[in-house]
C-alpha cells in the first residue's frame, strides 16, 4: 500500500527517503481536458523503474491514484492543458542508506501549468559543460537523482531551448529534459537505452511510431560529427509534455529543419 | 536567508527541490554531551559544496543554526552520543530542472540515535555489485543524489559492516558511507578527492593527523591487488560518526589488523 500525499495540503514527511537520498522516481504527464497523454507508457515506466529499485508498487494501484488525480485537478483547468506530477519514493526510515525490509512507499501528487511549447520552425540548442555520467545499473531510470540535469539546466539562457549532454566517451546522449533523435541517410538514430540517463516515454512512443511507419531506427551512439554531417537530415528532441521538437541551430550552426518526425508521430501524441 | 524546518514539526514543503531532484546537501554530525565532533569541518564542507552547487548560504548562518540545534536536542540525550542531521536544499520553485535566480534555501534539522560502533578487532567487508560513477564536476559533494549508495547498502547482510564500490576503471574508491585508507610499505594511500563520490570530513581529519605525525600520505588510486598484497599493512574505513574502523576480512580473506590508524588519529576525534 502506498501512502498518498497531495501537494496542496502543504505537507510531506520530513523523514522521507526521496528527500534524504533522492531514493525514488517521478513522472510528469500532460493532461488535456481530462485525458492524459501516453498514460499507459508513464505507468509502465514507473512500474518498471520501481521494480528495478526494489520499491514495491503495483501498476493497478498507481493507475487508481492517477485517475483520482486527473479527476481532482481537472476542475481547475477545464479545457486547458496542464501537467500532472507523480513523485514516488521508497518511504520513510531505514538505517542510513540501507532500506528496511518492509517499507511503505510515499506518493506525492501535484499539478502545474503547461510550459510554453516550442515553435514548429525549430529551436536553438547548445552543448552543456556538465558531463553526463550514467550508472549502468540505473540507466534510463527517471529517478530523483537529477543534480547533473539541474546543473546543466542552470546554463540555459533566454533564447536557448535546451543544452545537450555528452558522456565521458564523447557521445552526445540527451538534453536535460529531452531525448535525442537524428535522421540520416541510413534512417533514424537515437542513443541506446543502456546509455541514457532518462529513457523518456516519448522516446518509446517515437520509436514505435517510426517502426510502424516502416522507418529504420538504430539505437546507437551519436557523435557531434553525425549531427553536423551533410548526411544529417534533421535533429530532434523529444519530451512527453512538449512532444517532438525540431532543432534549428546547434551551438550557433544552422541545421536542416524538415519537421518530418513531427509529421510521422504527430507533435503531441494522445494515447490513453 | 535560510528557511528553517525542524523534523519533529512533521512538515516539509512538498515543492522542495531536494525532494524533486536531490538538489541539495546533507551533513550527519556526532554530538557527545553537547559538543559536536569535527564541527568546523562539517561547516566547511557544507559551505564549500553549497558554493559548488550555487546554493547561496553563508557559514555563519549555518553555524548559528548548528548551535541552536545542538542546544535544542541536547536535552533529550544528556550525556549520551547522538546524531545531528542537517539537510540543506536549493529551496522551492524554478522551471523544471532550471533553478530561479533568487531562490531561498530550505534547511531541515533532525536528530537520531547513534548507530552501533565497530569493534576495535575489525570488521568484515565485501565488494558491492553496484558500480560507482562520479561526475567530475560533482566529485566529493555530499549531495542528496545517493541512489548508488542506497542500492549498494541494500546488499549489506548481517555480519557485514560495509561494501566497497569500484569505479569503471576498476579502482576501489570508497564504501557506501566510508572513505578508504590503506597502509603500505610506501606510507598511506587514499583515493584522490576528484575520484570520490563523497569527500568525508573524517577523511580530511585523518590526512591532517597523519601528516602532523610525519606520515606519508598519497592521494592515488587503490586496486584490489594493493589491498591483498603482502606489502599491505592494513585497510581502514573512515566516517565522522563511526571514526576509524579496521578491516579484518575482505571478501572472506583475512587482512592484518594493527589498529595503527586509530592509534595515530584517535578512534573518535573531537574537534570543536
Amino acid at each position: 500500500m502506498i501512502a498518498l500525499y497531495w501537494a496542496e495540503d502543504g505537507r510531506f514527511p520530513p523523514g522521507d527517503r526521496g528527500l534524504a537520498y533522492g531514493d525514488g522516481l517521478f513522472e510528469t504527464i500532460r493532461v488535456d481536458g481530462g485525458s492524459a497523454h501516453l498514460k499507459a507508457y508513464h505507468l509502465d515506466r514507473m512500474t518498471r523503474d520501481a521494480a528495478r529499485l526494489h520499491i514495491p508498487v503495483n501498476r493497478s494501484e498507481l493507475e487508481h491514484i492517477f485517475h483520482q488525480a486527473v479527476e481532482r485537478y481537472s476542475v481547475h483547468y477545464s479545457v486547458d492543458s496542464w501537467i500532472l506530477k507523480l513523485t514516488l519514493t521508497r518511504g520513510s526510515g531505514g538505517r542510513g542508506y540501507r532500506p528496511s525490509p518492509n517499507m511503505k512507499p510515499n506518493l506525492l501528487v501535484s499539478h502545474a501549468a503547461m510550459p510554453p511549447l516550442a515553435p514548429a520552425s525549430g529551436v536553438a540548442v547548445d552543448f552543456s559543460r556538465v558531463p553526463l555520467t550514467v550508472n549502468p545499473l540505473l540507466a534510463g531510470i527517471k529517478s530523483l537523482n537529477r543534480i547533473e540535469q539541474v546543473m546543466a539546466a542552470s546554463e540555459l539562457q533566454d533564447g536557448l531551448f535546451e543544452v545537450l549532454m555528452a558522456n565521458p566517451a564523447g557521445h552526445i546522449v540527451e538534453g536535460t529534459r529531452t531525448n535525442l533523435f537524428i535522421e540520416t541517410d541510413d534512417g533514424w538514430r537515437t542513443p541506446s537505452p543502456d546509455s541514457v540517463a532518462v529513457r523518456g516515454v516519448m522516446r518509446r512512443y517515437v520509436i514505435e511510431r517510426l517502426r510502424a511507419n516502416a522507418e529504420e531506427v538504430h539505437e546507437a551512439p551519436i557523435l557531434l560529427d553525425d549531427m553536423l554531417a551533410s548526411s544529417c537530415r534533421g535533429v530532434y528532441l523529444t519530451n512527453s509534455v512538449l512532444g517532438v521538437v525540431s532543432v534549428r541551430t546547434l551551438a550557433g550552426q544552422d541545421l536542416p529543419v524538415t519537421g518530418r518526425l513531427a509529421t510521422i508521430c504527430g507533435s503531441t501524441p494522445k494515447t490513453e
Side-chain angles (χ1 to χ4, degrees), chain A:
Chain A
M1 274 293 289
I2 290 170
L4 185 58
Y5 296 86
W6 300 93
E8 59 272 25
D9 294 339
R11 57 192 194 79
F12 194 70
D16 179 78
R17 294 174 62 97
L19 173 62
Y21 309 127
D23 192 8
L25 304 165
F26 72 111
E27 296 287 333
T28 48
I29 303 129
R30 178 168 169 179
V31 187
D32 284 328
S35 83
H37 291 223
L38 298 173
K39 187 190 89 174
Y41 290 37
H42 285 290
L43 288 172
D44 284 353
R45 179 172 63 181
M46 187 166 257
T47 308
R48 180 201 70 202
D49 287 354
R52 289 177 66 190
L53 295 181
H54 313 304
I55 296 176
V57 293
N58 67 66
R59 197 178 186 283
S60 61
E61 190 176 6
L62 284 178
E63 187 166 11
H64 177 71
I65 293 169
F66 194 105
H67 287 160
Q68 261 186 284
V70 169
E71 194 172 333
R72 179 181 179 121
Y73 294 141
S74 285
V75 297
H76 299 305
Y77 292 100
S78 67
V79 296
D80 291 341
S81 300
W82 55 280
I83 306 299
L84 170 65
K85 182 168 179 182
L86 304 179
T87 304
L88 175 74
T89 78
R90 196 183 302 278
S92 303
R95 244 180 69 187
Y97 295 130
R98 188 179 178 189
S100 301
N102 296 304
M103 303 193 65
K104 184 178 181 176
N106 291 324
L107 182 64
L108 175 68
V109 187
S110 63
H111 65 96
M114 267 291 284
L117 291 176
S121 57
V123 297
V125 168
D126 208 333
F127 293 100
S128 173
R129 283 181 296 259
V130 180
L132 184 73
T133 52
V134 175
N135 188 309
L137 209 75
L138 304 171
I141 296 181
K142 197 170 170 87
S143 80
L144 304 175
N145 276 216
R146 297 269 76 94
I147 286 194
E148 292 185 2
Q149 284 73 26
V150 167
M151 296 308 285
S154 305
E155 298 173 324
L156 286 170
Q157 302 295 321
D158 284 341
L160 204 58
F161 176 79
E162 180 63 295
V163 284
L164 297 178
M165 302 176 76
N167 66 19
H171 303 157
I172 316 295
V173 183
E174 63 198 300
T176 62
R177 63 191 192 287
T178 54
N179 286 117
L180 174 65
F181 285 79
I182 65 173
E183 187 183 13
T184 74
D185 291 344
D186 300 324
W188 298 87
R189 201 189 310 172
T190 191
S192 71
D194 59 356
S195 71
V196 295
V198 176
R199 197 168 161 183
V201 297
M202 188 65 184
R203 175 186 180 281
R204 172 182 163 191
Y205 177 81
V206 166
I207 292 174
E208 289 177 358
R209 293 300 305 153
L210 285 171
R211 290 190 171 147
N213 276 266
E215 301 270 339
E216 279 223 53
V217 186
H218 306 280
E219 296 180 282
I222 295 175
L223 296 169
L224 174 55
D225 283 353
D226 298 321
M227 289 192 275
L228 298 180
S230 59
S231 57
C232 179
R233 301 178 188 175
V235 173
Y236 300 88
L237 302 176
T238 64
N239 167 300
S240 67
V241 167
L242 302 171
V244 170
V245 176
S246 297
V247 178
R248 182 175 42 80
T249 67
L250 180 61
Q253 184 145 343
D254 288 336
L255 297 177
V257 175
T258 65
R260 215 167 82 80
L261 192 59
T263 307
I264 295 171
C265 300
S267 57
T268 57
K270 177 170 290 185
T271 313
E272 273 290 315

